[in-house]
Amino acid sequence: MNKMQDLSLRTWQKNCLSKALEVYLKGQQNFMCVAAPGAGKTRFSASLAKSLLDADHIDFVLCFAPSVSIQNSIQETFSNILNDRFDGRIGAKGLVITYQGIQYAYQELAHVIKNYRVLIISDEIHHCASGISSTSNQWGQLLVSLISEGNPLTLTLSGTPWRSDSTKIALQSYSGEPQELDTDFVYGLGDAVRDKVCRRPNLILLDNSSIDVKEDSKTHKFSSIRQAIEAEKLKYSELLTHQDSLTQLMTYAHEELIRIREKHTRAAGLVVASSIDQARRISQFIITNFNESSIVVSYDQIDAHENIRDFQSSEIDWIVSIGMVSEGTDIPRLQVCAYLSNVRTELYFRQVLGRILRINKKIDEPCSMIAFAEPKLIEYSERINQDLPEDSMRIKVLEEQALVKNADANTLARGSEKNNFITMKTTSSSHTHSFDRLHDIASEASYSVKMAFCKDSYRTKILSL
């Protein structure tokens, strides 16, 4: 195969392209690339396709994507780099469709694979499972079957190379005990941050150091959200539907966006909501209380993808999403994310984080993701932090002031001005939870990991990644 061309690639992209060409030359059919979200996997894959097309090693490029928004992004990038159409019509260099679309075009795609030299690029391959038979594995089964129709070269890409259901990823090999995914090239988040390819994010987890749960005549006291949840006296979903908790988290997210906009005026915010109803309420809250613009995009909207595309070039301040902006969506001006999703898997958490990592124009762009200090989210955050250089982790503790609280289990009320706590009564039980209100949370974001206690005992745990 010919020497790779200079396509104004980043160093990691050039190295990965060279490795891929070397692997294909040796007769290996599949090349697996793992690169951090926002590092530029699509540009790398388009450049690899161009090298193979220019060297006359392939006739056609076939790309698969997990969503329409990613499909549109791939088509645009490939058209630009190949300087040709990428719509699958006569004379086009290739085609991109969703994994879902394979079942509707299987025969036509199989014909192309049987009769032409094809490079198949499977983006976010972790969406395709292997080794089991189930409805959720349909994408993986169809993809494997389609590739078996011929002998194409394959390129598999992922920023989060594992599945929440612990099944193996389609087309991939595993080795060792316990078995681990075999990869041909890995460019992790730590590498991307160190090379200034991705932003260095602050992950801010808000906790409460003084929680009272009154159950009948007994009061349970907890010093953190983790303690209350692990004692089964508080549910994470209750935090996501509690008005005052949401208000304080969104206020903190708003203040983060204001801080970032002092130097980056076009910065925007993303809210990942847990329901359509919550999304609409949050969007209206932003408009009413912050005097900022907001748009809601959800899976049930016919024009959701168009709205996302329009948001990229608009001046709208916030986009509130339900199941739409989680991976592959390219909106570089997103620099703050409020994570209010009920989904607590590491795969999804990292995918959402990836939406604010993509550099826009400057290499010193900050970004922040704000969530509640739920046990699993703390675990994921600590694991992400381990991917980064050691000197990017610090801890700072501010003064803590203990509060004594009392609550009536049968009422929804505010405490005295002195204690300034909120009582939250759950709708599914007789439990009542009381929380300190957030005030004067430390706004410093220069430390990689901070434990901060504000004056009225609302703790902020900041993992600046």
Side-chain angles (χ1 to χ4, degrees):
M1 294 186 180
N2 293 350
K3 184 179 179 180
M4 58 166 278
Q5 301 182 21
D6 183 4
L7 300 171
S8 300
L9 299 176
R10 293 166 173 161
T11 299
W12 85 263
Q13 293 168 325
K14 293 179 181 179
N15 293 338
C16 190
L17 202 158
S18 295
K19 181 69 178 296
L21 294 176
E22 177 186 343
V23 164
Y24 290 145
L25 181 62
K26 292 180 179 179
Q28 182 173 313
Q29 182 183 6
N30 182 57
F31 184 85
M32 174 57 168
C33 169
V34 175
K41 292 186 293 296
T42 303
R43 184 169 180 80
F44 150 72
S45 58
S47 301
L48 175 60
K50 178 173 174 57
S51 293
L52 293 172
L53 285 167
D54 290 349
D56 195 31
H57 287 291
I58 59 173
D59 305 311
F60 195 79
V61 183
L62 182 58
C63 297
F64 296 114
S67 68
V68 173
S69 59
I70 298 178
Q71 175 187 358
N72 293 337
S73 177
I74 290 175
Q75 181 172 351
E76 180 179 355
T77 300
F78 272 67
S79 295
N80 291 337
I81 291 182
L82 299 182
N83 193 28
D84 209 323
R85 295 197 343 265
F86 204 76
D87 55 13
R89 298 178 181 176
I90 295 176
K93 296 295 185 182
L95 168 70
V96 53
I97 65 173
T98 63
Y99 289 113
Q100 181 71 22
I102 295 177
Q103 59 184 316
Y104 305 111
Y106 187 93
Q107 294 303 323
E108 292 81 357
L109 297 174
H111 174 79
V112 173
I113 293 173
K114 288 177 181 177
N115 294 280
Y116 298 93
R117 298 172 299 169
V118 178
L119 169 66
I120 294 180
I121 300 175
S122 301
D123 193 28
E124 307 297 355
I125 186 62
H126 54 267
H127 284 278
C128 300
S130 175
I132 61 172
S133 178
S134 67
T135 303
S136 63
N137 189 36
Q138 184 181 34
W139 290 2
Q141 292 174 334
L142 286 172
L143 181 62
V144 171
S145 176
L146 184 63
I147 290 175
S148 68
E149 299 284 355
N151 190 34
L153 295 178
T154 58
L155 170 66
T156 50
L157 305 167
S158 179
T160 49
W162 62 86
R163 290 178 53 82
S164 298
D165 59 8
S166 300
T167 59
K168 293 182 178 179
I169 300 173
L171 303 180
Q172 306 311 305
S173 61
Y174 291 75
S175 61
E177 188 60 43
Q179 291 199 326
E180 295 183 356
L181 177 69
D182 294 328
T183 58
D184 296 291
F185 193 92
V186 177
Y187 187 69
L189 179 58
D191 299 319
V193 171
R194 189 181 300 109
D195 295 343
K196 300 187 183 304
V197 167
C198 290
R199 294 169 181 153
R200 179 177 177 269
N202 299 311
L203 182 55
I204 304 167
L205 303 178
L206 300 184
D207 202 351
N208 192 314
S209 62
S210 187
I211 301 175
D212 287 353
V213 180
K214 192 166 186 179
E215 190 175 10
D216 297 326
S217 60
K218 186 175 183 180
T219 298
H220 306 275
K221 296 182 177 293
F222 304 99
S223 61
S224 68
I225 291 174
R226 176 199 287 271
Q227 283 188 355
I229 289 178
E230 291 181 346
E232 299 183 351
K233 300 300 181 181
L234 174 67
K235 297 179 180 179
Y236 174 64
S237 59
E238 293 170 347
L239 291 173
L240 300 181
T241 56
H242 183 225
Q243 180 178 348
D244 288 282
S245 296
L246 289 175
T247 296
Q248 300 298 351
L249 189 144
M250 285 307 306
T251 299
Y252 190 87
H254 162 70
E255 292 172 352
E256 274 291 287
L257 185 58
I258 294 300
R259 180 183 66 83
I260 290 174
R261 278 181 169 171
E262 291 177 358
K263 294 184 178 180
H264 309 275
T265 57
R266 291 200 70 249
L270 164 68
V271 180
V272 180
S274 60
S275 69
I276 294 176
D277 178 65
Q278 184 203 51
R280 291 170 179 162
R281 287 188 288 108
I282 290 175
S283 181
Q284 187 59 50
F285 176 84
I286 290 171
I287 295 170
T288 303
N289 292 272
F290 303 151
N291 194 28
E292 295 181 338
S293 52
S294 175
I295 185 174
V296 175
V297 291
S298 67
Y299 55 82
D300 69 336
Q301 294 175 341
I302 297 176
D303 56 352
H305 297 290
E306 289 75 13
N307 290 337
I308 292 173
R309 184 170 59 247
D310 293 342
F311 178 84
Q312 297 175 5
S313 57
S314 74
E315 297 298 324
I316 298 175
D317 300 304
W318 289 87
I319 183 168
V320 186
S321 168
I322 312 96
M324 294 300 300
V325 186
S326 60
E327 66 175 343
T329 307
D330 185 6
I331 311 177
R333 71 189 192 94
L334 288 179
Q335 291 183 244
V336 172
C337 174
Y339 188 88
L340 296 172
S341 171
N342 240 329
V343 180
R344 284 166 293 161
T345 66
E346 186 166 2
L347 174 65
Y348 191 73
F349 190 68
R350 285 179 178 257
Q351 287 171 347
V352 171
L353 176 62
R355 296 317 96 217
I356 60 174
L357 295 180
R358 193 179 300 272
I359 288 178
N360 193 3
K361 295 181 179 179
K362 300 179 181 179
I363 61 175
D364 62 341
E365 295 171 339
C367 64
S368 299
M369 183 159 149
I370 299 101
F372 290 114
E374 189 274 340
K376 288 186 179 296
L377 301 186
I378 294 175
E379 177 186 344
Y380 305 152
S381 301
E382 291 174 343
R383 198 143 49 221
I384 291 170
N385 191 64
Q386 292 174 1
D387 294 340
L388 302 174
E390 292 182 3
D391 60 0
S392 67
M393 184 173 182
R394 300 178 189 175
I395 295 177
K396 183 177 182 180
V397 179
L398 302 182
E399 181 181 0
E400 178 185 10
Q401 177 183 352
L403 293 180
V404 178
K405 297 189 293 296
N406 188 18
D408 182 349
N410 298 315
T411 62
L412 178 63
R414 293 183 182 276
S416 66
E417 283 299 313
K418 180 178 180 181
N419 287 336
N420 200 20
F421 65 88
I422 299 171
T423 303
M424 181 178 71
K425 184 176 181 181
T426 70
T427 58
S428 59
S429 70
S430 60
H431 299 176
T432 299
H433 312 282
S434 53
F435 297 84
D436 296 321
R437 298 195 65 188
L438 280 168
H439 285 298
D440 303 329
I441 298 178
S443 59
E444 298 175 28
S446 59
Y447 296 98
S448 296
V449 176
K450 292 196 293 187
M451 296 287 288
F453 291 85
C454 68
K455 67 181 182 181
D456 43 7
S457 301
Y458 206 104
R459 186 178 66 198
T460 314
K461 181 174 182 180
I462 300 179
L463 300 178
S464 173
L465 308 181

